[in-house]
């Protein structure tokens, strides 16, 4: 597997050369150039070479190697270390999360991808096609990749909203079931994962917009405001979906309870109806010498008809009351 996806030098918004990793320090001597390096699940050896070239902090390198970090932004001297989580739907329609770590310095940016993430080849191509914007330096590159990551949350959240609508249709149009409850909990779990990934981005964007970070020019601050707006929208969509999902869960429980009550009523109604002939049979089945109506010619038929009449009457009353 290729660990170093790209390592190139840029000047005035144009790609001027591909650079070998161990020669990056020579490019960094020119303050008018910056280096953009893309790594995919690099080994510890590659990260140590990157650390040596850019003089990166040990703790940041350790985080970039181990991965499984929460989204965050940290400053190590003049270098900014940022962790973002990526998300997309796989072929089985399950959400897969990955991580991208960034090291942003005075004239360099290093992106480190981990897990299920989509390559940023498209982002690099788009940036290289806009030299007037790429000339803003590594700050614009950071914006472009962050914007790409955040925008990919929209289809994920849209799919979750569609799943919620399907669950609502199941709840109100079909018979409530345990399977529906399991689907609700599965969707709640996915929404919680998305919330954990997106929520910290608000603070990250705020710091990138408002703090004086030497490695990110003030010209790029408005671009991060655009990402901030997108993050707020995604957070609102997730919160609204979670609230509706909680309501759907309560509605499902209520309908299940109503269904159980209806079933209990039916059992009670039929039990009451069956109790009538059982009681009659119990009375006339006792071993006494003298039992009323036993010597009557029509006594048996009268008891049978009376029993049937009472059962029919009970059935009609229960039917009217909604118990049957």
């Amino acid at each position: 597997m290729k660990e170093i996806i790209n390592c190139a030098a840029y000047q005035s918004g144009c790609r001027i050369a591909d650079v070998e990793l161990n020669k990056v320090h020579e490019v960094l001597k020119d303050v008018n150039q910056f280096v953009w390096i893309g790594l995919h699940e690099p080994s510890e050896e590659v990260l140590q070479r990157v650390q040596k070239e850019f003089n990166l902090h040990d703790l940041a390198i350790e985080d970039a190697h181990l991965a499984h970090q929460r989204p965050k932004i940290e400053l190590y001297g003049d270098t900014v270390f940022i962790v973002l989580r990526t998300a997309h739907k796989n072929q089985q329609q399950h959400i897969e999360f990955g991580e991208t770590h960034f090291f942003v310095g005075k004239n360099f940016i290093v992106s480190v991808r981990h897990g299920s993430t989509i390559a940023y080849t498209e982002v690099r191509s788009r940036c290289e096609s806009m030299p007037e914007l790429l000339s803003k330096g590594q700050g614009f590159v950071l914006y472009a990749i962050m914007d790409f990551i955040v925008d990919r949350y929209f289809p994920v959240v849209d799919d979750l909203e569609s799943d919620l609508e399907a669950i609502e249709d199941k709840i109100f149009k079909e018979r409530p079931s345990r399977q529906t409850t399991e689907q609700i909990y599965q969707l709640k779990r996915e929404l919680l994962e998305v919330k954990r990934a997106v929520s910290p981005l608000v603070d990250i964007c705020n710091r990138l917009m408002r703090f004086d970070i030497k490695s990110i020019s003030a010209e790029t601050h408005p671009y991060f405001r655009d990402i901030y707006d997108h993050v707020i929208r995604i957070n609102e969509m997730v919160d609204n979906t979670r609230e509706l999902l909680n309501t759907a869960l309560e509605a499902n429980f209520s309908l299940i309870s109503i269904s159980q009550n209806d079933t209990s009523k039916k059992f009670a109604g039929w039990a009451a109806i069956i109790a009538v002939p059982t009681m009659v049979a119990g009375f006339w089945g006792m071993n006494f010498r003298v039992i009323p109506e036993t010597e009557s010619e029509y006594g048996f038929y009268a008891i049978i008809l009376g029993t049937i009449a009472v059962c029919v009457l009970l059935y009609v009353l229960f039917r009217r009351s909604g118990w049957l």
Side-chain angles (χ1 to χ4, degrees), residues 28 94 98 127 139 160 177 200 208 215 241 250 290 302 306:
L28 297 180
H94 295 302
C127 288
L160 292 176
S177 65
L208 289 172
S215 55
T241 305
E250 292 174 1
V290 181

Side-chain angles (χ1 to χ4, degrees), residues 69-87:
Q69 305 293 318
R70 66 180 297 276
K72 62 181 179 178
I73 178 171
E74 294 177 345
L75 291 176
Y76 294 98
D78 293 336
T79 302
V80 184
F81 177 62
I82 300 173
V83 178
L84 298 181
R85 296 192 69 191
T86 61

Side-chain angles (χ1 to χ4, degrees), residues 264-278 314 318 323-324:
S264 299
K265 287 179 180 179
K266 288 180 180 179
F267 277 125
W270 283 113
I273 293 172
I274 294 172
V276 174
T278 302
L314 287 175
F318 282 130
W323 282 45
L324 292 177

Side-chain angles (χ1 to χ4, degrees), residues 28-305:
L28 297 180
K29 294 177 182 178
D30 188 345
V31 295
N32 295 318
Q33 297 182 12
F34 77 92
V35 176
W36 180 359
I37 300 177
L39 306 176
H40 181 230
E41 296 186 349
S43 62
E44 188 174 357
E45 179 187 353
V46 171
L47 284 174
Q48 287 176 350
R49 289 165 59 192
V50 172
Q51 180 182 18
K52 183 179 179 181
E53 291 295 322
F54 299 109
N55 192 28
L56 302 176
H57 198 280
D58 291 339
L59 293 176
I61 289 295
E62 182 182 352
D63 287 346
H65 177 61
L66 297 176
H68 303 294
Q69 305 293 318
R70 66 180 297 276
K72 62 181 179 178
I73 178 171
E74 294 177 345
L75 291 176
Y76 294 98
D78 293 336
T79 302
V80 184
F81 177 62
I82 300 173
V83 178
L84 298 181
R85 296 192 69 191
T86 61
H88 72 277
K89 284 285 190 81
N90 59 19
Q91 293 181 347
Q92 290 74 36
Q93 293 303 304
H94 295 302
I95 301 176
E96 290 189 356
F97 292 93
E99 284 185 34
T100 300
H101 301 187
F102 299 95
F103 296 95
V104 185
K106 186 176 180 181
N107 52 348
F108 70 86
I109 179 169
V110 180
S111 64
V112 184
R113 293 190 291 120
H114 285 281
S116 177
T117 59
I118 297 174
Y120 301 132
T121 308
E122 177 187 338
V123 180
R124 189 182 288 266
S125 300
R126 190 166 67 246
C127 288
E128 291 176 354
S129 68
M130 299 182 293
E132 69 282 358
L133 295 176
L134 190 55
S135 63
K136 299 180 186 296
Q138 61 279 2
F140 179 77
V141 174
L142 176 63
Y143 153 76
I145 300 178
M146 285 184 64
D147 185 60
F148 180 78
I149 291 173
V150 171
D151 282 351
R152 294 194 70 84
Y153 275 97
F154 281 108
V156 171
V157 177
D158 286 340
D159 286 345
L160 292 176
E161 289 180 340
S162 298
D163 292 342
L164 172 60
E165 291 176 1
I167 288 175
E168 288 176 334
D169 288 340
K170 262 191 171 184
I171 290 173
F172 295 107
K173 295 181 181 179
E174 299 179 12
R175 187 179 181 85
S177 65
R178 180 175 179 177
Q179 182 184 6
T180 305
T181 305
E182 292 175 356
Q183 290 176 346
I184 292 173
Y185 273 105
Q186 178 63 32
L187 189 55
K188 282 174 71 69
R189 189 180 297 113
E190 291 182 339
L191 280 168
L192 182 60
E193 288 294 324
V194 173
K195 182 68 176 179
R196 287 174 177 171
V198 175
S199 184
L201 292 178
V202 176
D203 179 60
I204 293 174
C205 292
N206 269 325
R207 294 187 66 180
L208 289 172
M209 285 189 303
R210 300 176 183 179
F211 284 70
D212 184 18
I213 301 175
K214 295 180 181 179
S215 55
I216 298 176
S217 65
E219 293 177 311
T220 58
H221 286 181
Y223 294 96
F224 291 109
R225 190 177 299 117
D226 177 65
I227 297 177
Y228 175 81
D229 292 338
H230 290 182
V231 171
I232 292 297
R233 282 176 55 197
I234 294 171
N235 265 300
E236 289 177 349
M237 290 168 68
V238 171
D239 288 339
N240 290 339
T241 305
R242 290 180 68 190
E243 187 174 344
L244 288 172
L245 195 58
N246 289 332
T247 305
L249 182 61
E250 292 174 1
N252 189 55
F253 282 146
S254 298
L255 290 174
I256 290 176
S257 178
I258 292 171
S259 177
Q260 291 174 342
N261 288 339
D262 289 342
T263 302
S264 299
K265 287 179 180 179
K266 288 180 180 179
F267 277 125
W270 283 113
I273 293 172
I274 294 172
V276 174
T278 302
M279 181 182 66
V280 172
F283 279 131
W284 267 267
M286 294 185 294
N287 296 320
F288 289 107
R289 287 185 178 181
V290 181
I291 299 176
E293 306 300 331
T294 54
E295 296 180 359
S296 173
E297 183 180 356
Y298 302 103
F300 173 76
Y301 301 105
I303 291 171
I304 293 296
L305 289 174

